[in-house]
Amino acid sequence: QWERALGLLDEMHARGTARDVTSFNAAISACEKCGQWERALALVDEIQDQGLEPDVVSFSAAMAACDKGGQWEHAVALLDKMRTHGLEPNVYSFNAVISACERAGEWERALAFLDRMEAQRVSPDIVSITTAIAACAKGGQHERVLSLVNGIGARGLKLDEISLNVAVSACESLGMHERSMQLYGEACEGQIIPSLSDHVLDLRKLPSAVAGVAMSWSLERLAQQHAHHAKQYEGELSIITGSGKLNDAGVAVVKAKVMSVLASSEYET
């Protein structure tokens, strides 16, 4: 699609059709979707060569392209360049830079840009926070991860399914299983994700770390429910794992995680 977008832009020029910033932004966004960061940067320069001024969308899309292309330094440079054009970064601009830093393992920079957002009166959204959480988790920053996770509600934000996966995976990677369980339980109670229904647990859309937490939480919930029964529970729990990504042994990673959790439980498989 990015090649077609660039082709259309060239065709407009060949026909003498005026190309405005919106036309260039469409091409930059197409490059962003495919990680064509070099072409995205070239288009930002071309906007200026045409006597036009790139806008916030131009820079934000180019920064997102740099993020996908693993070019965090270029993303940061674009953010700083916005000031020279009299532009104020928005939440999407900052999110692109924070994501680029997270991808590169630059957790300190990710946090610095989160702070910079707030200093510039740009309110972080749930993507800003969970991306910073992921960055800190990569850097092994237990306390910072916990602080960011615990501060989500205080910021007036709520986890959705995607951000929940990020937060739970981060906590699990740092051995904070109890907090992972709390997050998952709160998400079930808040109906953010489907909870255990009719003794069926569908894990097909979950990362392996989250699937493990879902299993542990569901087994605990079943144990609590069945503790009120006088006789031992003899029912079944149906678990749907799907195929998905395979580990080195050729076993689906989610299934392997489920089997590991079950092996340490009192339930028979």
Side-chain angles (χ1 to χ4, degrees), residues 13 29 50 78 88 103 110 116 132 171 184-185 198 218 232 246:
H13 180 64
S29 295
Q50 296 295 311
L78 284 170
E88 292 294 333
R103 199 184 298 270
R116 184 168 158 183
C171 290
Y184 187 84
D198 296 326
S218 298
Q232 184 179 2
L246 304 181

mmCIF file of all heavy atoms in Angstrom, residues 13 29 50 78 88 103 110 116 132 171 184-185 198 218 232 246:
data_model
loop_
_atom_site.group_PDB
_atom_site.id
_atom_site.type_symbol
_atom_site.label_atom_id
_atom_site.label_comp_id
_atom_site.label_asym_id
_atom_site.label_seq_id
_atom_site.Cartn_x
_atom_site.Cartn_y
_atom_site.Cartn_z
ATOM 1 N N HIS A 13 1.917 15.057 -8.889
ATOM 2 C CA HIS A 13 2.960 16.018 -9.262
ATOM 3 C C HIS A 13 3.140 16.065 -10.777
ATOM 4 O O HIS A 13 3.274 17.154 -11.358
ATOM 5 C CB HIS A 13 4.272 15.627 -8.580
ATOM 6 C CG HIS A 13 5.409 16.554 -8.892
ATOM 7 N ND1 HIS A 13 5.412 17.878 -8.516
ATOM 8 C CD2 HIS A 13 6.581 16.348 -9.567
ATOM 9 C CE1 HIS A 13 6.531 18.447 -8.922
ATOM 10 N NE2 HIS A 13 7.253 17.539 -9.574
ATOM 11 N N SER A 29 1.458 8.188 6.378
ATOM 12 C CA SER A 29 0.718 7.187 7.169
ATOM 13 C C SER A 29 0.816 5.808 6.534
ATOM 14 O O SER A 29 0.920 4.797 7.242
ATOM 15 C CB SER A 29 -0.747 7.604 7.300
ATOM 16 O OG SER A 29 -0.872 8.791 8.044
ATOM 17 N N GLN A 50 8.381 21.710 -0.846
ATOM 18 C CA GLN A 50 7.273 22.214 -1.652
ATOM 19 C C GLN A 50 6.750 23.558 -1.136
ATOM 20 O O GLN A 50 5.750 24.074 -1.632
ATOM 21 C CB GLN A 50 6.122 21.197 -1.650
ATOM 22 C CG GLN A 50 6.459 19.864 -2.299
ATOM 23 C CD GLN A 50 6.744 20.001 -3.782
ATOM 24 O OE1 GLN A 50 5.967 20.618 -4.510
ATOM 25 N NE2 GLN A 50 7.854 19.429 -4.237
ATOM 26 N N LEU A 78 12.545 13.906 15.741
ATOM 27 C CA LEU A 78 11.337 14.487 15.147
ATOM 28 C C LEU A 78 10.494 15.209 16.187
ATOM 29 O O LEU A 78 9.926 16.271 15.919
ATOM 30 C CB LEU A 78 10.502 13.386 14.470
ATOM 31 C CG LEU A 78 11.006 12.875 13.122
ATOM 32 C CD1 LEU A 78 10.219 11.630 12.708
ATOM 33 C CD2 LEU A 78 10.878 13.955 12.045
ATOM 34 N N GLU A 88 2.959 21.841 18.829
ATOM 35 C CA GLU A 88 2.924 21.191 20.136
ATOM 36 C C GLU A 88 2.573 19.713 19.944
ATOM 37 O O GLU A 88 1.540 19.387 19.347
ATOM 38 C CB GLU A 88 1.881 21.843 21.044
ATOM 39 C CG GLU A 88 2.237 23.265 21.464
ATOM 40 C CD GLU A 88 3.468 23.321 22.349
ATOM 41 O OE1 GLU A 88 3.753 22.320 23.050
ATOM 42 O OE2 GLU A 88 4.143 24.367 22.344
ATOM 43 N N ARG A 103 10.659 -0.179 22.579
ATOM 44 C CA ARG A 103 11.123 -1.199 21.631
ATOM 45 C C ARG A 103 12.642 -1.348 21.678
ATOM 46 O O ARG A 103 13.188 -2.433 21.468
ATOM 47 C CB ARG A 103 10.669 -0.824 20.220
ATOM 48 C CG ARG A 103 10.687 -1.982 19.228
ATOM 49 C CD ARG A 103 10.302 -1.485 17.831
ATOM 50 N NE ARG A 103 8.955 -0.946 17.799
ATOM 51 C CZ ARG A 103 7.871 -1.659 17.542
ATOM 52 N NH1 ARG A 103 7.978 -2.954 17.309
ATOM 53 N NH2 ARG A 103 6.670 -1.078 17.509
ATOM 54 N N ALA A 110 11.868 6.382 28.093
ATOM 55 C CA ALA A 110 10.410 6.232 28.022
ATOM 56 C C ALA A 110 9.748 6.958 29.187
ATOM 57 O O ALA A 110 8.755 7.682 29.007
ATOM 58 C CB ALA A 110 10.027 4.750 28.033
ATOM 59 N N ARG A 116 7.595 14.305 30.521
ATOM 60 C CA ARG A 116 7.552 15.485 29.647
ATOM 61 C C ARG A 116 6.134 15.749 29.143
ATOM 62 O O ARG A 116 5.711 16.905 29.006
ATOM 63 C CB ARG A 116 8.513 15.284 28.470
ATOM 64 C CG ARG A 116 8.623 16.479 27.533
ATOM 65 C CD ARG A 116 9.792 16.270 26.612
ATOM 66 N NE ARG A 116 9.671 17.072 25.397
ATOM 67 C CZ ARG A 116 10.539 17.023 24.392
ATOM 68 N NH1 ARG A 116 11.589 16.227 24.472
ATOM 69 N NH2 ARG A 116 10.365 17.765 23.316
ATOM 70 N N ALA A 132 4.945 2.470 28.820
ATOM 71 C CA ALA A 132 5.982 2.761 29.812
ATOM 72 C C ALA A 132 6.161 1.572 30.761
ATOM 73 O O ALA A 132 7.290 1.249 31.167
ATOM 74 C CB ALA A 132 5.622 4.016 30.598
ATOM 75 N N CYS A 171 4.023 -7.688 34.887
ATOM 76 C CA CYS A 171 4.097 -8.137 36.276
ATOM 77 C C CYS A 171 4.607 -9.572 36.367
ATOM 78 O O CYS A 171 5.433 -9.901 37.232
ATOM 79 C CB CYS A 171 2.730 -8.020 36.945
ATOM 80 S SG CYS A 171 2.204 -6.312 37.242
ATOM 81 N N TYR A 184 -5.973 -9.376 36.894
ATOM 82 C CA TYR A 184 -6.851 -10.232 36.094
ATOM 83 C C TYR A 184 -8.224 -10.351 36.745
ATOM 84 O O TYR A 184 -9.258 -10.275 36.071
ATOM 85 C CB TYR A 184 -6.226 -11.617 35.913
ATOM 86 C CG TYR A 184 -7.008 -12.482 34.946
ATOM 87 C CD1 TYR A 184 -6.792 -12.375 33.580
ATOM 88 C CD2 TYR A 184 -7.984 -13.370 35.400
ATOM 89 C CE1 TYR A 184 -7.527 -13.144 32.688
ATOM 90 C CE2 TYR A 184 -8.725 -14.130 34.520
ATOM 91 C CZ TYR A 184 -8.487 -14.018 33.160
ATOM 92 O OH TYR A 184 -9.230 -14.757 32.274
ATOM 93 N N GLY A 185 -8.250 -10.526 38.071
ATOM 94 C CA GLY A 185 -9.522 -10.639 38.769
ATOM 95 C C GLY A 185 -10.349 -9.373 38.647
ATOM 96 O O GLY A 185 -11.571 -9.424 38.424
ATOM 97 N N ASP A 198 -19.608 -21.219 32.722
ATOM 98 C CA ASP A 198 -20.054 -22.614 32.585
ATOM 99 C C ASP A 198 -18.880 -23.588 32.540
ATOM 100 O O ASP A 198 -18.854 -24.544 31.774
ATOM 101 C CB ASP A 198 -20.913 -22.771 31.322
ATOM 102 C CG ASP A 198 -22.197 -21.972 31.409
ATOM 103 O OD1 ASP A 198 -22.731 -21.851 32.523
ATOM 104 O OD2 ASP A 198 -22.648 -21.464 30.371
ATOM 105 N N SER A 218 -8.676 -18.790 37.585
ATOM 106 C CA SER A 218 -9.888 -19.594 37.386
ATOM 107 C C SER A 218 -9.910 -20.803 38.308
ATOM 108 O O SER A 218 -10.958 -21.163 38.869
ATOM 109 C CB SER A 218 -9.985 -20.045 35.926
ATOM 110 O OG SER A 218 -10.079 -18.932 35.068
ATOM 111 N N GLN A 232 -16.237 -33.909 47.463
ATOM 112 C CA GLN A 232 -15.243 -33.407 46.518
ATOM 113 C C GLN A 232 -15.875 -33.156 45.157
ATOM 114 O O GLN A 232 -16.705 -33.930 44.686
ATOM 115 C CB GLN A 232 -14.100 -34.426 46.383
ATOM 116 C CG GLN A 232 -12.971 -33.930 45.470
ATOM 117 C CD GLN A 232 -11.853 -34.954 45.396
ATOM 118 O OE1 GLN A 232 -11.941 -36.012 45.987
ATOM 119 N NE2 GLN A 232 -10.804 -34.616 44.659
ATOM 120 N N LEU A 246 4.389 -21.878 18.596
ATOM 121 C CA LEU A 246 4.948 -23.106 19.156
ATOM 122 C C LEU A 246 6.267 -22.825 19.864
ATOM 123 O O LEU A 246 7.021 -21.928 19.485
ATOM 124 C CB LEU A 246 5.180 -24.133 18.043
ATOM 125 C CG LEU A 246 3.967 -24.511 17.174
ATOM 126 C CD1 LEU A 246 4.371 -25.551 16.139
ATOM 127 C CD2 LEU A 246 2.828 -25.032 18.030
#
